[in-house]
Amino acid sequence: MTTPLVKQVAHTCIFARDLDAVEAFYRDVCGVAPKFDFKRGEDRIGFYLDFGHRTFVEVFLKGESRFEESNQINHICFETDDIDAFMANAKSKGVAVTDKKLGVDHTWQCWLADPSGVKLEIFQYTTDSMQFGPDGVDCQVDW
């Protein structure tokens, strides 16, 4: 393989038991305010933090998330320039990978797991990806 299929870590997803406290920590201690909020209807269930240079942290309210894992880190997301090539390579190695879909943030994504069961999300940004749009908007979830 001459060109790496993964460009960099795109984001890490963490769970929060208190969204306001976690937001205050990252805003007041780290100087990073939310880029956008995740909402289910009118309910805020999470937010996205922009650490610069295409590096993000995704935060979801643990009580409102639909995940059952007990750990605080839910998954790691890697950015790629070619999600189709990534998926084809994974499948050629016998690795199960989901179909790609356009996420609610307008970014292509697919999912797989490493041999230890760590969930990996693969991202290919689009020109409409919310991560690079205006700050302070809401992302309505459909899951």
Side-chain angles (χ1 to χ4, degrees):
M1 199 176 309
T2 58
T3 304
L5 293 173
V6 170
K7 186 174 184 174
Q8 67 182 46
V9 172
H11 70 259
T12 298
C13 176
I14 62 174
F15 289 139
R17 287 180 170 66
D18 181 336
L19 279 181
D20 293 335
V22 172
E23 177 184 348
F25 173 84
Y26 282 100
R27 183 190 59 239
D28 300 342
V29 176
C30 300
V32 180
K35 174 77 174 169
F36 59 83
D37 288 335
F38 287 104
K39 289 195 171 181
R40 184 176 295 124
E42 291 299 312
D43 296 330
R44 180 178 185 232
I45 63 164
F47 54 88
Y48 220 80
L49 297 166
D50 183 350
F51 283 83
H53 306 287
R54 301 173 72 94
T55 303
F56 302 92
V57 172
E58 184 177 60
V59 181
F60 284 107
L61 185 61
K62 178 65 173 173
E64 294 299 319
S65 68
R66 295 199 180 149
F67 305 107
E68 296 179 7
E69 294 81 10
S70 60
N71 295 326
Q72 295 301 74
I73 294 179
N74 177 258
H75 66 270
I76 299 171
C77 179
F78 296 127
E79 180 185 350
T80 183
D81 286 329
D82 189 343
I83 197 167
D84 295 313
F86 183 95
M87 293 170 61
N89 183 68
K91 289 176 183 177
S92 76
K93 307 292 185 201
V95 175
V97 60
T98 67
D99 292 335
K100 74 176 182 183
K101 75 170 197 167
L102 193 62
V104 295
D105 59 356
H106 309 289
T107 303
W108 287 109
Q109 62 177 261
C110 67
W111 293 81
L112 62 157
D114 75 7
S116 298
V118 175
K119 292 189 299 185
L120 302 176
E121 182 179 16
I122 308 302
F123 251 25
Q124 182 179 342
Y125 293 114
T126 69
T127 56
D128 295 325
S129 291
M130 293 180 72
Q131 289 82 347
F132 309 110
D135 293 349
V137 299
D138 294 333
C139 180
Q140 285 294 327
V141 299
D142 60 2
W143 36 264

